[in-house]
Amino acid sequence: MRILFCLFLMTGAALADPCTQSPRAFWSEACADPLTRAVTLEMEALIAEVRETPGLHPGTWAALGLRAEMVYLELDACLGTDIPTACMLPIAARHVAELLEGAYLNGEREGLARGPVDLLCPEYARPFHLTRFDTDPAMIWISPGYALLTRDTAAQNVVYGGRSAEGTIDLGITPAGQVVLTGLSSRPMPCMIADDSLLR
């Protein structure tokens, strides 16, 4: 247990500027790409917020610290891939979405992420959760476990696109105002979103 406590404390030791001060190998590569830098810094800020949440049970605090350490190891492992930032971006975004959907934030900071907002598609019994990262271009993380989508700034309509384990996914708003999800079924799915300003 003491080791886990130390790990969680160490994760925030260089929060002032992880890009230049952190001893973790992935930061120099992550910070060289604007989108990856934005999302990994958002992840780091949320990890710090969780660490400072008052009243957490010691076991919960240690488990969250261990989870953060596992994410850091995944990010370090990306350095051995052909395109490290392409590996890092969905890992960091996934962890941001996990923290935002969790119950352990103290709510005292405002960052790049908004959400999660429910996306209900009739072909699925449970709603998807959308988390938006206000980067440039904007990104949407669809959970659980699907994809990180990037805003197509050249598209005439609102369109986000990306890849998941199932293949290419597109999420957009038609000129008539209908939210449509494409790629998870044989045909485009009309969906309903609790707040479509998240996409705009």
Side-chain angles (χ1 to χ4, degrees):
M1 184 66 74
R2 290 179 180 177
I3 293 174
L4 295 179
F5 279 132
C6 290
L7 286 174
F8 206 15
L9 287 171
M10 289 170 61
T11 61
L15 274 179
D17 186 5
C19 290
T20 59
Q21 298 175 13
S22 176
R24 297 183 183 275
F26 74 86
W27 276 110
S28 60
E29 190 74 34
C31 292
D33 173 69
L35 286 177
T36 309
R37 181 181 188 275
V39 177
T40 50
L41 288 175
E42 180 78 356
M43 177 195 75
E44 190 73 4
L46 288 170
I47 289 172
E49 182 180 341
V50 168
R51 186 187 306 109
E52 295 163 5
T53 297
L56 281 182
H57 186 278
T60 300
W61 197 77
L64 290 167
L66 181 59
R67 174 64 183 137
E69 184 65 22
M70 292 172 63
V71 170
Y72 289 139
L73 292 175
E74 287 185 72
L75 292 168
D76 278 337
C78 288
L79 295 175
T81 63
D82 291 339
I83 308 176
T85 53
C87 172
M88 293 174 185
L89 188 58
I91 292 170
R94 181 190 66 210
H95 194 48
V96 169
E98 286 177 5
L99 293 172
L100 289 173
E101 292 188 40
Y104 306 111
L105 294 175
N106 60 40
E108 294 182 355
R109 63 172 293 278
E110 293 182 5
L112 294 172
R114 289 192 282 140
V117 169
D118 284 351
L119 177 74
L120 181 61
C121 303
E123 294 188 27
Y124 290 85
R126 298 177 62 183
F128 298 107
H129 303 296
L130 305 184
T131 301
R132 175 178 170 132
F133 302 99
D134 287 324
T135 50
D136 185 18
M139 294 184 292
I140 296 286
W141 178 254
I142 298 182
S143 57
Y146 279 103
L148 182 68
L149 312 181
T150 304
R151 176 78 180 263
D152 182 356
T153 54
Q156 184 175 0
N157 302 317
V158 177
V159 178
Y160 291 81
R163 293 192 61 81
S164 72
E166 289 79 9
T168 301
I169 292 180
D170 290 314
L171 175 66
I173 302 177
T174 69
Q178 175 68 60
V179 177
V180 177
L181 182 64
T182 304
L184 294 182
S185 65
S186 59
R187 62 185 188 279
M189 289 186 291
C191 302
M192 295 174 288
I193 188 171
D195 179 8
D196 72 1
S197 68
L198 192 81
L199 300 177
R200 297 185 184 277

